[in-house]
Amino acid sequence: AVVSTQSTGYVDDEDDQIPNPYSQRPITQALNPPPLDDPEGEDDIDVKPKILLFGLRRSGKTSIRKVVFHKMSANETIFLESTTKLEHEDVSRNCFIDYVIYDFPGQADALEDSAMDYSHIFEGKCALIFVIDVLEDYKDALDKIVNTLVGLDNKGLLDNIEVFVFIHKVDGLSDDQRAEHLKDINFKVNDELSEAGISINLKTQLTSVYDYSIFEALSIVGQKLIPELLSTFEALLNALKEPCGMDRVLLFDVATKCYIATDTESVPTNKYEMCCDMLDLVADVSNIYTTPECFSFYDSKSFSSVHLDNGTVILTKYICNNLTLVCLLQESCLAELGLIEYNIAKFSQGMDDVLKSHFKRKPVK
């Protein structure tokens, strides 16, 4: 593979004007950001969404939090102590990854604990994640899932909660074993919920801290916490992808390797892993040349490309606020590099519109 990386330092380029080298092209080949939804009537943006981690002791809840949000090595997580009390932390990476994570101890019943009333935590915009250690007998874990959801339904708190099940520690299992556990857990949980008269869209993910599956799963969780923005992001990414002939376009949070949005086509796992590898490569190469006083190796002019032997090219372009665009395309598309750069600049302008309109503040450069 051939690697090309450009990072020109922390220079403010607000006054830079990018000319359009394809000004004579039909207007259909230029990126025109779609109109933004009217933000009036949206939820109070000062009330942060919440991610609630549930599971039995040693199921891997804290390991997930430490690996994704604290950059802990997966090998180090074996030394983590079991969570004995409710822990919470404020995760603020950018305007989109900005929520509070609650890590519930495995032995606690959040709805029946007489010493503490946890009900208020479930109010507002929430994503509830049940983590199951697939290497252990998970009958008790499934009972905990059902009992918790029934309790939330009885209290009228379930309607606005997105529910996920992370079938965790699958790195040592074969594809057949993964599929068998996925089918078994889905059937048992949905069957018991049906008997209890509860119908919800239960989303299950196969995860491990030893590969990128946990980052991909949390990407999907995060997107459920910003549903009012997803359609706008998808429209912007599609408007960038189509005229440039790109295969996939994703908007990543650099710090967590979670993608905020992608174009309307689903992203295969191998494509997602390629994008994450690209972000790691840019970080590793840039760290060689970044001075210690620099807090980040990304700036407004950061641009990188990798050319693979199969003709695929991976481009990364820093947008703003820890957000980086990762594009997968064929090498032949680079003949239109001027158009690609121009449309990426227009995409950045569209992102600025989103930041100013939805979050009602100046965009972070």
Side-chain angles (χ1 to χ4, degrees), residues 121-339:
I121 297 176
F122 296 90
E123 298 174 352
K125 192 178 297 184
C126 295
L128 180 59
I129 303 175
F130 292 97
V131 182
I132 296 177
D133 183 353
V134 76
L135 301 181
E136 302 290 340
D137 182 2
Y138 46 72
K139 181 183 183 303
D140 289 342
L142 299 186
D143 289 340
K144 186 180 183 71
I145 293 174
V146 173
N147 292 336
T148 302
L149 294 179
V150 169
L152 288 171
D153 186 61
N154 291 337
K155 292 178 179 288
L157 298 172
L158 189 58
D159 291 342
N160 296 322
I161 298 178
E162 297 286 344
V163 182
F164 296 83
V165 175
F166 284 5
I167 305 174
H168 199 48
K169 304 182 183 181
V170 299
D171 47 281
L173 303 182
S174 66
D175 290 343
D176 289 341
Q177 289 174 318
R178 296 183 185 195
E180 182 180 348
H181 286 302
L182 181 64
K183 180 180 178 180
D184 182 51
I185 290 173
N186 266 324
F187 174 78
K188 289 180 177 177
V189 174
N190 285 308
D191 185 56
E192 292 194 38
L193 289 176
S194 178
E195 289 184 3
I198 298 176
S199 176
I200 62 171
N201 180 19
L202 190 70
K203 294 164 280 290
T204 53
Q205 302 285 328
L206 297 166
T207 60
S208 171
V209 294
Y210 288 93
D211 55 34
Y212 291 128
S213 59
I214 190 59
F215 299 94
E216 186 175 12
L218 282 172
S219 298
I220 297 172
V221 172
Q223 291 167 21
K224 293 296 183 180
L225 297 177
I226 52 169
E228 66 278 2
L229 293 174
L230 278 182
S231 59
T232 299
F233 289 160
E234 287 182 358
L236 283 169
L237 291 168
N238 278 321
L240 170 64
K241 170 188 171 182
E242 293 170 3
C244 298
M246 297 174 177
D247 297 329
R248 294 287 190 281
V249 189
L250 300 94
L251 184 65
F252 271 88
D253 170 62
V254 176
T256 62
K257 291 200 289 287
C258 293
Y259 66 93
I260 307 299
T262 182
D263 56 85
T264 49
E265 293 188 38
S266 60
V267 182
T269 298
N270 64 328
K271 300 290 186 183
Y272 175 77
E273 292 175 348
M274 287 172 57
C275 293
C276 290
D277 286 337
M278 178 65 177
L279 293 176
D280 287 338
L281 176 63
V282 173
D284 292 341
V285 173
S286 298
N287 278 332
I288 298 174
Y289 304 100
T290 302
T291 56
E293 62 269 17
C294 290
F295 67 93
S296 173
F297 44 80
Y298 281 100
D299 66 8
S300 58
K301 294 184 178 180
S302 296
F303 179 87
S304 306
S305 64
V306 166
H307 298 241
L308 304 180
D309 292 338
N310 62 1
T312 299
V313 177
I314 310 175
L315 300 180
T316 68
K317 178 67 175 76
Y318 182 74
I319 302 300
C320 65
N321 204 203
N322 277 335
L323 299 176
T324 291
L325 197 66
V326 181
C327 310
L328 302 177
L329 63 158
Q330 295 303 305
E331 196 166 11
S332 57
C333 296
L334 294 183
E336 306 281 7
L337 184 59
L339 178 64

Side-chain angles (χ1 to χ4, degrees), residues 78-93:
I78 61 176
F79 302 109
L80 289 173
E81 295 182 1
S82 181
T83 303
T84 57
K85 62 181 180 179
L86 176 65
E87 298 180 3
H88 72 276
E89 64 175 319
D90 191 323
V91 176
S92 298
R93 298 291 183 262

Side-chain angles (χ1 to χ4, degrees), residues 39-66:
E40 295 297 327
E42 295 288 351
D43 294 337
D44 186 357
I45 61 174
D46 293 327
V47 179
K48 289 191 175 185
K50 297 180 281 286
I51 292 180
L52 315 176
L53 294 173
F54 273 70
L56 301 182
R57 294 179 68 256
R58 312 303 300 177
S59 59
K61 306 182 300 298
T62 305
S63 298
I64 291 172
R65 183 161 58 91
K66 294 295 185 181

